[in-house]
Amino acid sequence: MRALLIASALAAALPVAPVLAADPPLVPIAPEEAAAPSLLVPLAPDSPWTARFAAAADDLLPALRSGEESRWGPLLGGPWLSAPDRARVAALLRDRDGPFGQALSGQAGTRRIILGWQPPATLNTADRAAIAARPEAEAIVCWAAEGAADTGWPRTAREADNAPVRPYACARITYSVRDGAPRWRAFVEG
């Protein structure tokens, strides 16, 4: 009891500094400028990655079109694909009125485009060659029904989100060639 009284007396005797709502930073920080999203452009036909992404897309399309998790699950991460992500992808593929239902119906054929990020104009030839020589790359593959109205492909990665209003369906593919072993994995947003 005595210890409690002493602690209470000390707390009452010590001045309490008011908490400032916004302490000024020790080092002034300029607000970060909003960056414009990177634009997507079709991969160049002569890119060393184009054939690899085309082959991956050719493997991915029938797996997605089947709607069978046993076929698309391993391509989207296998055991590392979480249960909520599995359910989300399954719902996207089942939605006949959604982007995948329209793009992959296969009745009139399917158009495909493979998109990469437009490199900044400031890159010189050596920088571009270094990027092309890296052992990994990423692209966005989109499909649309052959007879669908042509409203264009996504211009940014945000537009490749498989929102219900999109006339195309997309998957992001990461590709890696390390130790001579090519590997890829797809990601479906939405």
Side-chain angles (χ1 to χ4, degrees):
M1 179 72 154
R2 188 177 209 185
L4 185 59
L5 289 173
I6 292 172
S8 298
L10 277 174
L14 294 174
V16 178
V19 176
L20 297 177
D23 287 335
L26 296 175
V27 177
I29 300 171
E32 192 173 311
E33 290 183 34
S38 296
L39 297 177
L40 295 174
V41 293
L43 283 187
D46 61 346
S47 166
W49 292 102
T50 301
R52 292 176 176 141
F53 282 115
D58 289 346
D59 288 344
L60 183 59
L61 178 64
L64 294 174
R65 186 174 274 151
S66 76
E68 297 172 20
E69 185 178 332
S70 62
R71 291 186 61 193
W72 56 257
L75 303 177
L76 299 181
W80 295 279
L81 186 63
S82 70
D85 285 340
R86 286 178 189 280
R88 181 183 47 77
V89 171
L92 279 170
L93 296 176
R94 275 193 312 269
D95 183 2
R96 292 293 155 215
D97 294 327
F100 281 98
Q102 294 175 30
L104 305 181
S105 65
Q107 293 159 357
T110 304
R111 295 180 294 143
R112 177 188 75 198
I113 190 166
I114 303 171
L115 303 165
W117 284 262
Q118 181 175 351
T122 57
L123 290 182
N124 60 36
T125 305
D127 292 336
R128 291 176 191 268
I131 290 171
R134 289 189 349 213
E136 66 273 331
E138 187 173 301
I140 294 179
V141 179
C142 298
W143 300 274
E146 191 64 52
D150 190 12
T151 58
W153 297 105
R155 295 178 312 253
T156 65
R158 181 177 294 262
E159 293 175 3
D161 60 358
N162 298 312
V165 298
R166 305 285 187 217
Y168 47 77
C170 299
R172 180 171 50 94
I173 298 176
T174 59
Y175 207 107
S176 173
V177 180
R178 296 206 183 260
D179 301 324
R183 291 183 182 93
W184 62 270
R185 179 179 175 189
F187 301 85
V188 173
E189 307 297 329

